[in-house]
Amino acid sequence: MNQPEHSDHAQETGNGQPGGTGSPVDSPVSEADAGRLHEARQRVLSELGKIIVGQEHVIDEILICLFSRGHVLLEGVPGLAKTLMISTLAKTLDLSFSRIQFTPDLMPADVTGTEIIEEDRASGHRELRFMPGPLFANIVLADEINRTPPKTQASLLEAMQERQVTAGRERHMLDDPFFVLATQNPIEQEGTYPLPEAQQDRFMFKIFVDYPSFDEEFEVARRTTGTVTGTAEPVLTGEEILRLQHLVRQVPVSDHVIRYALSLVRQTRVGSEGVPDFVDDLVGWGAGPRAVQFMILGGKARALLQGRHHVQVEDIQALAPPVLRHRMVVNFAAESEGITSDDVIKRIIEATPTTEDELSRDARFQKIFAT
């Protein structure tokens, strides 16, 4: 089974109390611990607010991925400050930042680095030395990732999954924390190379960046056409981020919340027992186990960011769209009717009981749990 990074911790999910109530056990995360991540979120938002107007939901989902050790795929039209948002985030987190502009002629070695022959002037001896590429940074922006061929896109796979780069016979470990944010443009698809499903599955979230509201765009115009410019200050170090990532793993999650997440994901799998008829009619391919893992990890991070120390069903519902939208492929019938994966996800959530009793007694979900 595919596992997200640090798979040796993938079972740290907590259990329900005896009797099947699904209530969280006594939390290993204290109120003070929960407050640390909530406070960190407020500090980051405050600094980003000096440069970025609005987009709070996008920033929140990026932070959830960051503290869950995941990676993000951002999709939005040009001019929505995606690059500025990511570079500013790197400054507020006091992390090294690298931007890679993906183009059709970009080669894998341009991303990962390459071996060069270096001569020792004293001895005349020659040896191979690895020259690290722009991938060796804490935060890597893969700008317009769909404008480069799959061969170069795949150069990110090992780094995203294993947090290492193999060059020749040598493995080179990447620094922690390591976070990839890729962007792609939903328009101008001529000359682009859609990301393969296996590549998309490595991204924890696919986040849509939408147009700002009228008031937000008014503020953007006012700020960017004057002489005063804001400056973001670092509020978190790499060591603090690693501690907060470890804290996220300790958040308990009840058996009921795990079953609920599983119910959502398993309903995307066409032809399986208990799957709604509209899924069989509209979906070509469903999400794999990595979706469940990321949904639960993201729920833990979201709970802490909101000052809670346990995961609720509402956390899973909120994260289902960014986790599932790029892992579930709608078929031609859905596309011809203008139905998107988000539309299907919304219907799945509406068709899934939220309480433990309703979920366990529903005949359709009994079939899902029995498969």
Side-chain angles (χ1 to χ4, degrees), residues 240-305:
E240 289 173 319
I241 292 170
L242 292 176
R243 285 197 295 270
L244 292 173
Q245 288 177 340
H246 180 69
L247 185 62
V248 166
R249 293 273 175 173
Q250 299 175 25
V251 175
V253 56
S254 68
D255 288 348
H256 168 56
V257 171
I258 295 175
R259 289 193 190 97
Y260 182 80
L262 276 165
S263 299
L264 295 183
V265 173
R266 294 181 75 87
Q267 285 180 88
T268 67
R269 297 171 187 170
V270 180
S272 299
E273 287 287 332
V275 170
D277 290 339
F278 67 84
V279 170
D280 285 331
D281 294 339
L282 300 173
V283 177
W285 197 258
R290 192 179 274 117
V292 179
Q293 296 169 320
F294 281 146
M295 207 177 288
I296 293 171
L297 276 174
K300 292 183 176 190
R302 185 176 187 269
L304 285 184
L305 285 170

Side-chain angles (χ1 to χ4, degrees), residues 2 9 28 42 96 112 122 133 186 191 204 212 217 242 246 305 319 336:
N2 291 328
H9 295 297
Q42 296 303 118
S96 60
T112 60
M204 180 175 179
E217 195 162 2
L242 292 176
H246 180 69
L305 285 170
L319 300 184
S336 64

Side-chain angles (χ1 to χ4, degrees), residues 121-140:
R121 292 183 178 180
S123 64
H125 179 68
R126 295 181 179 181
E127 61 180 7
L128 286 174
R129 185 168 69 87
F130 180 70
M131 289 287 290
L135 195 57
F136 285 78
N138 295 124
I139 294 183
V140 177

Side-chain angles (χ1 to χ4, degrees), residues 205-224:
F205 285 175
K206 180 179 181 180
I207 302 173
F208 290 147
V209 184
D210 206 351
Y211 291 109
S213 67
F214 180 89
D215 289 340
E216 290 170 347
E217 195 162 2
F218 180 92
E219 181 64 17
V220 169
R222 189 185 66 82
R223 286 192 192 184
T224 56

